Amino acid sequence: MAEYRMQDPGEGIHEAEILDLKVSPGDRIQEGDTLFAVETDKAVQDVPSPFTGEITDVRINEGDTVRVGDVLLTYAAEGEEAKGEEAGGEKGKAEGEKAAKPPPEKEAKERRPSRPEREQPAREGAPVPASPATRRRARELGVDLRQVEPGGPHGRVTNEDVQRAAQKAEREPALGMPEAQPEEPSEPRPLELPDFSRWGAVETQPLRGIRRATARQMERSRTVPQVTHQDLADITALESFRREHADSVKARGGKLTMTVIVMKAAAAVLRRFPRFNATLDAENETIILKHYCHIGMAVATKQGLLVPVVRDVDRKSLTELAMETTALAEKARAGKIELDELQGASFSLTNPGGIGGTWFTPLINPPEAAILGMTRADWRPVLEGDPERGRFKARLMLPLSLTFDHRLNDGADAAYFVRSITEMLADPESLLLSI
C-alpha cells in the first residue's frame, strides 16, 4: 500500500484547495489520469496520477484545504493487488477490518484527519534542514532548531516555523518562573467582531480560492512602507498613434491598448531606475536587483483579481506585447491560466480605467518594489504659452499613480521615474526611440 501526498508546487506555496475530486476507493487509475483539481495561489490545475493501480482510500473532500506533505489518498500500484489477493492471512485481516468499519455516515466524517502527520526526518546527530537565514533568525530569537516542528517541504524548517516557536515559548513560561507581563504586540491583533446577528440576518461564507490568496497577499503588502506619487501624462498624440496602428495589430490577433504602450514605456524607464525593479531582503539587509523585466498585468475576473506575468517586456515589440497580453487576459478570465504564468513578476501594472475613476492608490504586490496604476484618460483644457497671450487647448490626459517601497526609493526617485514615463508618452517618436 502506498500513500500519495500533496506535492510541493514551489514558489513558497504551502497549501491548496481541492476543487474537483475525480476518484473514489476502488477506482482503477492509469498513469496520467486526473486525480483531482486544485487551486494553488490563484491558479487552478489538474493533478495527474503518477502511478497505475487501484485507489484504496481517499482522505480528502472537495473544498478541503491541504498542505504540502499531507496524505491525500492511498493506492495499490499495479501488480500489488494480485500479491495481496494471494496472501490469505492478509485477506483475512482485510475482511476483519472491513467488518469493523464504521457506518458510512461516520466514515465520511472521519475520512480525512484534521492534520495528517508528516514524516519527520531523523534528527539524532544530523543537522536540521534550514537555510542560513533561518538559522540566524533562530539564534537571534534563542530558538533551538531541533525543537521546532518543520513546516517546509522535506522536513525543512522555515522562518515562519522559527517565529511560531519563539511566540509559543513566550506564551509558555518556564516552570517555577513567574509569568512576565505581556508586551505590546508588534502587530495589531485581529479585530474582535461582535455578534452581527443581533441586528439582522447574516450569512457566513468561507474565504477561499482567489479571494483568500488576495487577502493573504494584501496582509503581506501592509507590512511595506508605501508611498504613492501621482502625475498626468499628455497622450493626445499617442492616442492618434494607437488608433492608426490598432487595425494592423488586431489583424495579427492582438489588441493595441494604452496599457500595452505604458507597459513598454515602463520597461524602458525601469532600466534607468533599477531599484524600482528590485526586492529588498530586509533579513539579510541586501537589495536584489533584477536584470530582467517581467511585468505583472492585473486582470479582473469573475473569480477575483489575477495578475498574469508578461515576461521580457523590454525585449518584445509593441505588436508582440499586444498579442501576448490579449492571450493572457483571455486565459485568466476563462480560468485556464497556469500557475507559472502568475509567478516571477518584477514590477506590476494595473488599469481600472475601463471601469472608471481618476486617482487611486494601488498596493504593492510583495516582494516587488513598485506598482504603476492607470485610470481613465480624459480631455482637459491645458494652457499653451504664457498666461497673458497663450490659449487653452483640449489635451487628452492620462492619470498615473506609482506606489513604491520607501525603503528602496525616495520621493524624488519616484517623481523622476513617473516624469520619464510622461515625457515618453507625450512624444511618440521619443517613445519609439527609447524602446
Side-chain angles (χ1 to χ4, degrees):
M1 197 76 64
E3 296 177 336
Y4 180 78
R5 296 174 178 265
M6 173 65 184
Q7 304 300 303
D8 182 7
E11 296 290 334
I13 298 170
H14 303 299
E15 63 183 27
E17 180 180 347
I18 304 297
L19 294 185
D20 186 12
L21 185 58
K22 297 183 179 298
V23 295
S24 302
D27 288 352
R28 291 281 306 169
I29 298 297
Q30 297 293 321
E31 183 176 350
D33 289 351
T34 299
L35 298 174
F36 43 80
V38 297
E39 187 167 44
T40 308
D41 196 16
K42 300 187 178 183
V44 177
Q45 293 181 306
D46 287 335
V47 177
S49 172
F51 60 84
T52 295
E54 180 179 332
I55 303 295
T56 56
D57 188 23
V58 177
R59 302 185 183 180
I60 52 175
N61 296 294
E62 292 183 4
D64 284 353
T65 298
V66 296
R67 291 182 61 84
V68 171
D70 286 354
V71 178
L72 308 184
L73 53 85
T74 60
Y75 65 93
E78 189 173 39
E80 291 184 1
E81 306 99 311
K83 295 179 182 178
E85 291 174 0
E86 293 173 0
E90 289 297 321
K91 181 178 180 182
K93 181 181 177 181
E95 290 175 351
E97 291 175 350
K98 183 177 181 182
K101 274 193 174 182
E105 296 81 1
K106 185 176 181 181
E107 181 183 5
K109 292 180 181 178
E110 297 177 352
R111 173 177 293 175
R112 179 177 176 261
S114 58
R115 181 60 59 89
E117 295 184 2
R118 303 181 183 189
E119 293 179 356
Q120 298 293 334
R123 297 195 174 184
E124 291 294 329
V128 177
S131 69
T134 299
R135 295 180 185 280
R136 188 179 76 173
R137 185 60 175 164
R139 289 195 298 270
E140 292 172 349
L141 296 176
V143 173
D144 184 353
L145 286 177
R146 292 170 297 181
Q147 304 301 320
V148 178
E149 181 180 355
H154 311 298
R156 191 178 187 86
V157 174
T158 66
N159 278 343
E160 291 80 4
D161 301 330
V162 171
Q163 191 67 38
R164 280 195 296 270
Q167 292 172 351
K168 182 178 179 181
E170 292 174 357
R171 292 194 300 267
E172 300 175 1
L175 293 175
M177 296 294 291
E179 185 173 351
Q181 293 297 320
E183 297 181 0
E184 192 69 23
S186 58
E187 294 185 4
R189 295 182 178 181
L191 180 65
E192 190 171 328
L193 301 178
D195 180 7
F196 296 107
S197 62
R198 291 166 51 196
W199 301 290
V202 297
E203 178 185 356
T204 301
Q205 297 180 344
L207 186 65
R208 288 177 174 168
I210 293 174
R211 180 50 49 200
R212 180 178 60 185
T214 301
R216 291 180 176 179
Q217 189 69 348
M218 291 302 96
E219 280 292 321
R220 295 179 61 196
S221 181
R222 74 188 179 104
T223 65
V224 177
Q226 306 182 40
V227 181
T228 302
H229 178 86
Q230 298 171 328
D231 207 344
L232 285 167
D234 185 342
I235 60 169
T236 309
L238 186 60
E239 175 62 12
S240 298
F241 168 86
R242 188 192 70 80
R243 291 178 179 273
E244 181 182 348
H245 297 279
D247 288 342
S248 62
V249 174
K250 184 178 180 180
R252 299 184 59 180
K255 189 175 182 180
L256 185 59
T257 63
M258 194 58 65
T259 300
V260 171
I261 299 175
V262 173
M263 181 184 292
K264 188 64 177 175
V269 176
L270 285 170
R271 289 199 297 264
R272 296 164 52 185
F273 298 89
R275 285 203 308 274
F276 288 97
N277 197 50
T279 289
L280 175 66
D281 184 350
E283 186 171 356
N284 294 310
E285 296 185 336
T286 58
I287 299 174
I288 303 172
L289 299 174
K290 299 160 189 174
H291 298 300
Y292 55 84
C293 186
H294 302 339
I295 296 184
M297 173 186 66
V299 177
T301 73
K302 292 181 179 179
Q303 294 75 31
L305 183 68
L306 292 176
V307 189
V309 179
V310 185
R311 305 192 187 281
D312 299 317
V313 176
D314 53 332
R315 301 180 182 181
K316 294 174 180 175
S317 67
L318 284 174
T319 300
E320 290 173 326
L321 291 176
M323 295 167 62
E324 186 171 344
T325 54
T326 300
L328 282 173
E330 290 176 353
K331 288 184 68 176
R333 295 190 181 103
K336 297 180 179 179
I337 199 78
E338 299 291 338
L339 178 60
D340 60 353
E341 294 174 309
L342 298 171
Q343 298 173 338
S346 58
F347 184 84
S348 287
L349 180 65
T350 180
N351 181 10
I355 302 172
T358 52
W359 302 104
F360 75 118
T361 303
L363 297 180
I364 290 174
N365 188 20
E368 298 164 29
I371 179 173
L372 181 65
M374 306 164 52
T375 47
R376 177 179 292 172
D378 194 16
W379 289 97
R380 305 189 184 194
V382 177
L383 177 65
E384 292 188 350
D386 62 77
E388 295 182 358
R389 299 182 181 182
R391 60 175 183 168
F392 285 94
K393 285 188 175 181
R395 309 295 295 179
L396 187 60
M397 307 300 290
L398 174 67
L400 297 174
S401 302
L402 176 74
T403 300
F404 61 96
D405 185 341
H406 210 330
R407 297 172 299 178
L408 284 170
N409 292 283
D410 297 326
D413 300 320
Y416 283 124
F417 183 95
V418 177
R419 191 176 75 176
S420 297
I421 292 180
T422 62
E423 289 174 350
M424 283 187 182
L425 300 181
D427 183 2
E429 290 186 4
S430 171
L431 173 63
L432 292 175
L433 289 174
S434 300
I435 62 177

